[in-house]
Amino acid sequence: MPDPGHSKRFVGRMIGPNMEPMFLGPAEKLTISWVDLNEGRLAVPDEAAPESRRPKLIQHEFESKAMNQTIQYSVYVPPGEFDDTRLPVIFVHDGEVALDAGRQAEILDSLIAAGKAKPVVAVFIRWRLYPLIGFEGYPQMFGQELIPAVQSAYPVSDRREDRASLGGGFGGTLALLSSLMNRPLIGRIGCHSPFAFELMHDPIKQLASMPGPEMNVRIERGEITIGRNG
């Protein structure tokens, strides 16, 4: 539904009001809100800022056996010395969009510098979800390969309560699905307007109902309906 907090709108032509692809249902148009990033409440460093003022990202890649492909990811480590401190870690799904369009590394760096957020390590996973192709092997890659790799290379806590899984759009759906399948490893999930087509509803419902440790889940600016009857 359009965001009642502001009046900017556009008409989408790829998905209908039920959030299903247009070719799967009636060709009914969807009115969507849009946000001008230049009007954000938090000042983000200029894209043309000197290299010394930009947050430093460390690039990694590995050959995933679970997915049978190369997985790339970027790691943000806050300024400072953390030899004796194990930091919380945030895993950001659909990380390339989060970095390039969302500028989340700059925002995180600004929040930490301003004392509005505690120092954390952020891992931006550069892999996109295409629903009709699927995400086979991704939860296994996330839990069995990526988390141990980050754990061994960076000063991060090994407590599940100190690990968060974050994403927006399809990245939000990845955060839900992959984290619910790795409950012993992830204690927190954050989703911003997750996209969950109907073919994903049953897997999410089944995973959410499975026994396991409690998770802290926060969903913003979106509404998830599981199943036709809510």
Side-chain angles (χ1 to χ4, degrees):
M1 65 182 67
D3 180 359
H6 64 86
S7 60
K8 295 178 180 178
R9 305 277 189 273
F10 76 96
V11 177
R13 300 179 183 276
M14 295 182 64
I15 55 178
N18 59 355
M19 294 302 291
E20 300 297 324
M22 295 290 279
F23 60 83
L24 292 180
E28 186 177 352
K29 297 177 181 178
L30 173 65
T31 300
I32 305 174
S33 298
W34 68 277
V35 177
D36 184 349
L37 295 179
N38 293 323
E39 296 180 0
R41 291 188 292 271
L42 176 69
V44 178
D46 188 353
E47 287 181 338
E51 190 69 28
S52 61
R53 286 175 49 199
R54 299 179 188 174
K56 289 181 170 51
L57 293 169
I58 305 168
Q59 310 301 331
H60 295 274
E61 68 177 35
F62 68 94
E63 296 300 319
S64 170
K65 294 181 180 179
M67 299 190 73
N68 193 30
Q69 61 180 273
T70 301
I71 300 297
Q72 298 179 333
Y73 61 99
S74 303
V75 179
Y76 164 83
V77 178
E81 299 294 332
F82 305 102
D83 293 340
D84 299 324
T85 303
R86 310 305 288 182
L87 297 174
V89 57
I90 302 172
F91 293 92
V92 184
H93 304 267
D94 201 358
E96 190 160 359
V97 171
L99 288 171
D100 296 343
R103 303 186 66 188
Q104 289 186 16
E106 288 96 328
I107 292 173
L108 180 59
D109 201 54
S110 296
L111 288 170
I112 293 173
K116 296 180 179 179
K118 295 180 180 180
V120 296
V121 171
V123 180
F124 296 88
I125 309 167
R126 294 177 175 268
W127 190 86
R128 298 216 71 187
L129 168 64
Y130 296 96
L132 298 183
I133 297 177
F135 61 101
E136 184 176 357
Y138 186 92
Q140 292 76 17
M141 177 278 296
F142 178 50
Q144 300 170 16
E145 299 174 336
L146 179 60
I147 291 179
V150 172
Q151 191 74 44
S152 65
Y154 289 94
V156 297
S157 170
D158 60 1
R159 298 172 65 244
R160 68 182 294 271
E161 295 80 7
D162 291 334
R163 294 193 189 113
S165 187
L166 178 71
F170 286 128
T173 306
L174 272 180
L176 277 172
L177 292 168
S178 60
S179 301
L180 288 171
M181 293 181 71
N182 287 286
R183 282 196 187 193
L185 301 176
I186 297 291
R188 302 174 186 272
I189 304 175
C191 300
H192 190 289
S193 299
F195 295 159
F197 293 156
E198 191 168 345
L199 57 88
M200 301 176 184
H201 291 184
D202 285 343
I204 293 174
K205 184 176 181 180
Q206 291 170 8
L207 288 170
S209 64
M210 290 178 63
E214 291 186 356
M215 307 182 81
N216 184 318
V217 182
R218 180 183 181 91
I219 299 176
E220 288 191 347
R221 288 192 184 275
E223 185 173 325
I224 292 183
T225 300
I226 300 177
R228 294 184 181 275
N229 298 321

